[in-house]
Amino acid sequence: MSTASEGAAKPQVFIRKASGLVRTAGTWDVLAYNINFTSIGLLLAFLILLGPAFYPGISMGLSAIICVALLLPLSLVFGYLSSSMPRSGGDYVYVSRVLGPAWGMMSNFNTTLWWFFYGGVPSAFLARYGLAPFFRTLGIFTGNLGLIDIGNWFASPTGMFIFGALLISLLVYIFARGMRTFFRVQNLLIIFAIISTVLSAVVFVGKTPADVLEAFNRFVGPIAGTADVAGHVLEAGAGAGFVAEPFSLRNTMLAMTWIYLNLAFMQSSAYIGSEVKDARRLQLWSMPATVVLVGLGVLVTVLLVERAAGFEFLGALSWVDPAELGMASTPLYTELASYVSGSLVVAFLITFGFIFWSYAWLPGQIINGSRNILAYAIDGLFPAWFQKVHPKLHTPTNALASMGVMSILALAVYVFTPYFATLVGIFGFILSFTMVSIAAILLPRRLPDVFATSAVNQRIAGIPVISIIGVLSVISCVIMAWAYISDPMAGLTPTMIAFNVGTFVSGLVVYYVAKAIRARRGVDVSLSYKELPAE
């Protein structure tokens, strides 16, 4: 809440009563929160698993470099806006206050819906990419076939659903206990995850393809039933259709879809702005810092893995039926790293730590979605029931419960039906990112007082820096939209493109319906947008 003396010193926008949220997130909390949502472990797993196999001629390192360059403007857009308007709700706040309430609801409700839909993806990944490789690797190292069977069961639809639903329920409970509780858990678990990533890269230093193939034969050969299982992978992969091709810039750029899937969500802390300490400073640098740190980690790791394992072996591995290897799913790069290490202790640290990357999107999706719902309720677009914040724990319990229920439903759809592919909704997110970028361009003109009193009021040749960055971000959004439409693995059929667009504009319907309902009760909800949301 602004004081009278502050109001006399500089222009202010009137702020309403407090929302009940409190500022608990410090520097490491926020940086870890953003890094968690990018999940460098999953990013690497997808890029290494799919890049060489299905994007002929890809340069994984160049793909990472280009994607980081394209994402830096978007990270600065979110950083600048969240510093200027440090409130929970992310783009709902920025777009609604700069472009207008209907546009803000369209942009942000789209994001919230996709977080509903994507609730089933990382919760399923816990079992498929986290627990399955962990138990499978321990079984291989110890010769315990029972552990291998357990690992394979985790990768089954039943295993993914059971443990995904348990994970969602546990996270909602932790979030309801308060953000301090969550940050303690997050800050501990991310240490194990980072150790996993560092070890996964280090073990490949100085190794050659011969070393990797020998380790693969030694550990996988016994369960595959063939001594030269690596040779079988190369032969079977070629027979199935894998071909190593010369460098292709097009495929290098199309493979960015898997990097962007993770790295585009470096702005997660924008949605908990009312809970970030010193938000005007911290939000400004934490998002671009996340892009650079994670991007550097990806670049170093893929170069080491590709140099050691060889492009042909990595590509062929994903073309082979994992059942031929005695596995329920294709081994990840973390499993290859475990074999190369030859150490049970190192293998444990790598695969155990990766468990906490496997579902790392999920906490941000549930927390951020609940803050969006709270923001809608505060502005009168959703029923007051969603506005309830626990007086002692300072958490929006009803909004959290709603996100939990929707996430479990989405999990069932993802696991038991073919209707949802991993990449299909990122095009929809890009539509919202474009709206945010346009809001950044127009901020100095539409909200001159907010711009003038912010930490981002710099100009170059008289042009606001935030407007320049906004233009660059729009360009990057257009390039990434092309990549998703052009990438066959994205699953963006004409029907799915229409679904993305329909989801995007659904917020307009919600806004005008809510406005009409409230108008009958004598309330003009548009007046809420004359001020910043509550703290």
Side-chain angles (χ1 to χ4, degrees):
M1 187 73 68
S2 300
T3 64
S5 59
E6 289 173 331
K10 55 187 179 182
Q12 292 289 331
V13 179
F14 175 73
I15 302 173
R16 291 167 291 142
K17 64 183 183 66
S19 67
L21 303 177
V22 294
R23 298 191 183 274
T24 60
T27 301
W28 175 241
D29 301 321
V30 169
L31 189 59
Y33 192 67
N34 288 333
I35 291 174
N36 246 335
F37 212 146
T38 66
S39 183
I40 183 174
L42 269 182
L43 193 166
L44 286 165
F46 290 140
L47 185 59
I48 296 171
L49 187 68
L50 303 172
F54 303 110
Y55 298 85
I58 178 184
S59 167
M60 292 190 288
L62 183 58
S63 187
I65 292 171
I66 296 174
C67 196
V68 166
L70 290 175
L71 275 170
L72 273 174
L74 181 64
S75 70
L76 289 168
V77 160
F78 269 97
Y80 277 35
L81 290 173
S82 57
S83 172
S84 301
M85 292 175 272
R87 300 291 185 273
S88 291
D91 55 308
Y92 174 70
V93 177
Y94 321 140
V95 178
S96 66
R97 271 57 183 183
V98 176
L99 303 182
W103 301 111
M105 190 61 179
M106 183 174 73
S107 173
N108 188 261
F109 191 65
N110 172 62
T111 298
T112 303
L113 284 181
W114 281 114
W115 277 333
F116 278 151
F117 301 149
Y118 269 97
V121 179
S123 51
F125 287 174
L126 167 68
R128 181 175 182 180
Y129 296 123
L131 296 172
F134 173 69
F135 282 97
R136 188 162 63 199
T137 301
L138 292 187
I140 289 173
F141 268 80
T142 61
N144 188 324
L145 296 180
L147 288 176
I148 296 174
D149 290 339
I150 291 173
N152 288 334
W153 178 82
F154 277 119
S156 70
T158 301
M160 286 189 283
F161 179 77
I162 290 175
F163 279 84
L166 288 174
L167 173 65
I168 292 168
S169 301
L170 176 61
L171 287 175
V172 169
Y173 173 76
I174 292 173
F175 301 151
R177 298 300 302 171
M179 290 299 285
R180 285 191 181 94
T181 301
F182 167 67
F183 286 135
R184 290 191 198 102
V185 175
Q186 168 198 263
N187 295 348
L188 173 64
L189 297 184
I190 198 174
I191 293 173
F192 292 106
I194 291 172
I195 290 173
S196 168
T197 301
V198 172
L199 286 177
S200 296
V202 168
V203 297
F204 286 107
V205 174
K207 295 296 189 295
T208 65
D211 297 325
V212 175
L213 298 187
E214 186 279 329
F216 194 78
N217 284 336
R218 177 155 47 99
F219 287 99
V220 180
I223 64 170
T226 176
D228 187 18
V229 66
H232 171 73
V233 166
L234 291 169
E235 183 179 344
F242 170 70
V243 179
E245 297 186 4
F247 171 72
S248 166
L249 178 60
R250 175 183 171 84
N251 284 341
T252 293
M253 295 189 68
L254 292 185
M256 291 191 301
T257 53
W258 294 99
I259 303 173
Y260 197 89
L261 167 70
N262 293 268
L263 199 51
F265 297 97
M266 45 59 213
Q267 29 52 333
S268 189
S269 64
Y271 295 87
I272 58 168
S274 293
E275 295 160 274
V276 174
K277 299 176 183 177
D278 194 12
R280 293 184 182 276
R281 177 190 63 84
L282 187 51
Q283 299 279 48
L284 191 60
W285 65 264
S286 63
M287 299 172 201
T290 297
V291 172
V292 172
L293 289 172
V294 175
L296 183 61
V298 171
L299 177 62
V300 171
T301 303
V302 296
L303 291 178
L304 287 172
V305 174
E306 184 177 336
R307 180 187 180 94
F311 195 89
E312 290 188 12
F313 179 71
L314 291 174
L317 187 59
S318 292
W319 281 80
V320 176
D321 183 351
E324 298 177 22
L325 308 177
M327 302 180 182
S329 58
T330 302
L332 304 180
Y333 82 100
T334 51
E335 294 173 86
L336 293 181
S338 298
Y339 308 150
V340 171
S341 77
S343 165
L344 175 60
V345 173
V346 173
F348 175 88
L349 291 173
I350 288 175
T351 54
F352 177 73
F354 190 83
I355 291 172
F356 307 113
W357 284 137
S358 67
Y359 64 85
W361 303 343
L362 189 60
Q365 289 176 191
I366 295 175
I367 293 173
N368 295 350
S370 70
R371 272 48 178 184
N372 290 350
I373 292 171
L374 175 65
Y376 308 153
I378 288 175
D379 281 336
L381 301 183
F382 269 29
W385 184 83
F386 291 103
Q387 193 176 339
K388 180 181 178 182
V389 173
H390 195 283
K392 293 183 179 179
L393 301 176
H394 304 288
T395 54
T397 49
N398 293 345
L400 283 168
S402 301
M403 288 298 300
V405 170
M406 293 299 295
S407 295
I408 292 175
L409 292 175
L411 170 64
V413 172
Y414 181 74
V415 168
F416 296 119
T417 77
Y419 301 129
F420 192 90
T422 303
L423 292 180
V424 295
I426 307 304
F427 180 77
F429 280 110
I430 292 173
L431 296 177
S432 289
F433 295 159
T434 304
M435 291 290 293
V436 178
S437 303
I438 294 171
I441 295 171
L442 298 178
L443 172 68
R445 176 173 296 183
R446 301 297 293 271
L447 293 179
D449 288 351
V450 171
F451 175 70
T453 59
S454 72
V456 297
N457 58 3
Q458 303 90 353
R459 296 175 182 268
I460 295 178
I463 304 173
V465 172
I466 190 172
S467 299
I468 297 172
I469 293 172
V471 170
L472 294 176
S473 185
V474 169
I475 294 171
S476 74
C477 286
V478 171
I479 294 172
M480 288 310 307
W482 163 83
Y484 278 97
I485 292 173
S486 303
D487 182 4
M489 295 195 72
L492 279 177
T493 62
T495 299
M496 283 309 304
I497 292 175
F499 182 78
N500 274 258
V501 173
T503 302
F504 180 59
V505 301
S506 65
L508 285 176
V509 178
V510 173
Y511 174 76
Y512 284 113
V513 168
K515 183 178 181 181
I517 292 173
R518 298 282 284 176
R520 290 196 206 102
R521 300 172 184 171
V523 178
D524 183 358
V525 295
S526 64
L527 296 178
S528 299
Y529 298 89
K530 303 296 183 182
E531 53 197 45
L532 289 182
E535 287 270 10

